[in-house]
Amino acid sequence: MSADTAPLTKVDSAISGLSSSPPDSKIKHRRASSSAAGVYNINDLESEKKELLIAKETQKLNWKLNTSPSTLDDKEVLKKFLTTPPVKKIDLHFPLGLEVTARNLKGVTIKDALDAIHKQFKKKADDELELPVLAGFEWDKEESWTRLKVHQKKEGAPASSAGKKKKNKNGVEEE
């Protein structure tokens, strides 16, 4: 090493003519929104006073909150929009104060709502839930335009009880 005490200078000639900010020749393209046409923001619907209609299929599901929505027999129902017109997100309000949000930029489907609910209840055992079955949703515009009330019930509609009963040794049926 030499004992030069000359001040340091820029060595690379490539950076001598550049400013510290990146060049403006970058592509000025933003990704288009992932939302589909005809899907609304719930707040826009409120300001326009557009009414929401809830899919009636949700009342017939008899779905237990702590089971995965994929266990439902009717898979086609899961693909339907939860509301008409479809919205990007909606809050689901439970009677005891719990609130979950279902989101989908292409429109919240019944599956999206059930997934959001299931995420909250999947670790609960059947006996921990007082009302373990979904009875349906209710939209009360007087209370809140942007959320649906979740209704629950004790048990689902009885499935075919043909295989449920057993005969004891005396030939009497018991459950």
Side-chain angles (χ1 to χ4, degrees), residues 34 54 83-84 99 120 153 164:
S34 301
I54 302 169
T83 60
T84 306
E99 196 158 297
Q120 289 295 318
K153 55 188 176 182
K164 302 247 183 222

Side-chain angles (χ1 to χ4, degrees), residues 64-67 118 120-133:
K64 290 178 89 173
L65 304 180
N66 59 355
T67 60
H118 176 247
Q120 289 295 318
F121 291 102
K122 65 183 175 188
K123 291 189 169 74
K124 298 252 190 253
D126 287 353
D127 57 352
E128 287 180 75
L129 296 170
E130 196 174 310
L131 300 168
V133 178

